[in-house]
Amino acid sequence: MAFFDYRDGILHAEDVPLPRIAEAVGTPVHVYSAAALRHAAYGFSAALAPLPVARRAFAVKANPNIALLRLLAECGYGADIVSGGELAHAIAAGMKPQDIVFSGVGKTDREMIEALDAGIGQFNLELEEEGQVLSDLARVRGVRAPVVLRVNPDVDAGTHAKIATGQRETKFGVPIDAAPAIYARLARLDGLDLRGIAVHIGSQLRDLTPMERAFTRIGDLVRTLRAAGHGVSDVDLGGGLGIAYAPDETAPSFEDYAGMVGRVTRNWNVALTFEPGRAIVGAAGLLLTRVIWVKPGVTHPYVIVDAAMNDLMRPALYDAFHRFAAVAPRGGRMQAHIAGPICETGDSFARGREIDAVRRGDLAVFHTTGAYGAAMASTYNCRAVSPQLLVDGDEYRIVGERGTVIDRAA
Ligand code: PLP
């Protein structure tokens, strides 16, 4: 289903022509489709329906916009958070505390206290000492913290090194061979209600094989723990499901993913938590920009747009591909580099790519920017954080204000 599509030669977000948005709020601007978000959220839930699902916890890091989180709460989603700020966003969006899980390798005492006081549904422990501190904090409050232990299964996720988290040298989780002993010690702590295991091996996984390998190892661990007399009622399978960014890319469907999970976890007898981010929100957003110049270059011209790496960091950070398209294509094609105005060579969106022919002043978009787009915005080069706008049918509203460039405290 196309939520961003051409009508009479003009790219629309649902029923709204993008030039109308550019005129109303200027560029660059992040544009989201509520229908695309609902489509993905309900699609994922439907695929998981045959499984014993405890919660679908949207990974807030992918997009913390409160209007989007509110929409996901309406679709029955909770949140996977990694900071006190993300907790505040999830609560402000109306997500139920029971449906919130707290991941992250560096939770501060203050953040753990806030989460305990909020009554969240699960803490994902990343190291044994964190469990001891959390137990003490919980006992003082007369509660037991619901926890699972994040295990590092030592599996190569086959994704970009900067978003691979499941190999033993990464900072995440406890090594799988040390997990039984750590689990036994954590189980003895009064302030913890130790329920099971969590795993997350990386993001943008377009091949399910590494995930299946990791989950199989977790299944073996669950059996080992039970054989040692421990209760295991919950397993959190993390997020990581990849999406197609380039036209020739493929990605597993929600049904492929759910089928693999169902096969691997068939005899586990646990409630499953899922933490999808990118797969829910990635295709629900685009970044609308305007061409400032088409500057002559040595091999190809540079299309300099008014969006930059501070709006969309993924190309600079991970050499990521985002499809570029003219809002009102003129018919021709050109070979070009695409770059933003920031004073870094790394502020580049594409090199030597064939694109719609564009001229100074034309509107264009980067597609599939809903995940890890606005979420990673910065003010580098004193650029204001770009606004965010949510389209729903033929209506739209601003859900993120354009930032300011002067710090009044200075
Ligand atoms: N859960 C954890 C623990 C993560 O670190 C991440 C992101 O890396 C996610 C969930 C979401 O991943 P994705 O957006 O790839 O689904």
Side-chain angles (χ1 to χ4, degrees), residues 178-258:
I182 295 174
Y183 200 92
R185 289 193 292 274
L186 289 172
R188 288 198 282 272
L189 298 178
D190 290 342
L192 300 186
D193 174 10
L194 181 58
R195 297 178 176 178
I197 298 295
V199 64
H200 172 81
I201 62 166
S203 191
Q204 182 54 4
L205 272 59
R206 294 193 300 111
D207 175 5
L208 292 176
T209 316
M211 260 196 227
E212 180 159 359
R213 195 172 302 136
F215 296 169
T216 303
R217 288 187 187 173
I218 296 302
D220 294 341
L221 176 62
V222 169
R223 277 185 287 280
T224 303
L225 293 173
R226 284 188 176 143
H230 298 297
V232 180
S233 60
D234 285 74
V235 174
D236 182 333
L237 294 177
L241 187 58
I243 60 174
Y245 283 96
D248 59 347
E249 271 182 349
T250 56
S253 66
F254 292 155
E255 288 72 23
D256 294 339
Y257 172 76

Side-chain angles (χ1 to χ4, degrees), residues 64-312:
N65 187 286
I66 291 173
L68 269 55
L69 296 183
R70 206 173 283 135
L71 230 150
L72 288 171
E74 286 164 15
C75 298
Y77 279 66
D80 165 46
I81 59 161
V82 291
S83 70
E86 290 192 354
L87 173 64
H89 276 229
I91 299 281
M95 283 164 164
K96 295 194 201 98
Q98 262 307 311
D99 293 337
I100 298 176
V101 305
F102 198 169
S103 302
V105 71
K107 306 177 193 75
T108 64
D109 289 17
R110 172 183 287 275
E111 287 173 325
M112 287 193 272
I113 290 167
E114 283 169 8
L116 279 171
D117 290 346
I120 68 162
Q122 179 177 293
F123 292 80
N124 295 7
L125 300 179
E126 293 267 356
L127 70 163
E128 185 172 352
E129 197 180 351
E130 182 190 8
Q132 292 156 354
V133 171
L134 180 61
S135 174
D136 290 345
L137 293 170
R139 271 194 309 124
V140 173
R141 283 163 180 75
V143 294
R144 294 179 79 209
V147 300
V148 295
L149 177 63
R150 179 165 177 185
V151 168
N152 187 320
D154 196 22
V155 166
D156 180 355
T159 188
H160 193 283
K162 288 184 183 164
I163 47 175
T165 59
Q167 284 166 290
R168 59 190 307 126
E169 326 78 73
T170 64
K171 64 183 173 183
F172 299 101
V174 302
I176 191 157
D177 41 5
I182 295 174
Y183 200 92
R185 289 193 292 274
L186 289 172
R188 288 198 282 272
L189 298 178
D190 290 342
L192 300 186
D193 174 10
L194 181 58
R195 297 178 176 178
I197 298 295
V199 64
H200 172 81
I201 62 166
S203 191
Q204 182 54 4
L205 272 59
R206 294 193 300 111
D207 175 5
L208 292 176
T209 316
M211 260 196 227
E212 180 159 359
R213 195 172 302 136
F215 296 169
T216 303
R217 288 187 187 173
I218 296 302
D220 294 341
L221 176 62
V222 169
R223 277 185 287 280
T224 303
L225 293 173
R226 284 188 176 143
H230 298 297
V232 180
S233 60
D234 285 74
V235 174
D236 182 333
L237 294 177
L241 187 58
I243 60 174
Y245 283 96
D248 59 347
E249 271 182 349
T250 56
S253 66
F254 292 155
E255 288 72 23
D256 294 339
Y257 172 76
M260 179 275 286
V261 170
R263 207 169 52 248
V264 178
T265 65
R266 197 172 36 238
N267 301 317
W268 288 13
N269 275 319
V270 295
L272 297 170
T273 290
F274 296 88
E275 302 172 356
R278 188 189 310 270
I280 302 297
V281 78
L286 55 71
L287 176 58
L288 178 59
T289 185
R290 195 179 286 282
V291 176
I292 306 178
W293 308 110
V294 179
K295 178 184 174 182
V298 175
T299 50
H300 304 294
Y302 277 91
V303 172
I304 309 280
V305 294
D306 65 0
M309 63 193 282
N310 73 306
D311 299 300
L312 179 60

Side-chain angles (χ1 to χ4, degrees), residues 30 32 60-64 245 278 281-282 285-287 308-315 317-318 322 349 366-378 385-388:
H30 295 274
Y32 305 117
V60 174
K61 64 174 79 67
N63 195 319
Y245 283 96
R278 188 189 310 270
V281 78
L286 55 71
L287 176 58
M309 63 193 282
N310 73 306
D311 299 300
L312 179 60
M313 181 83 156
R314 298 187 65 256
L317 204 55
Y318 316 127
H322 285 274
F349 293 109
F366 293 101
H367 278 284
T368 330
T369 59
Y372 308 104
M376 289 188 178
S378 79
V385 166
S386 293
Q388 300 173 66

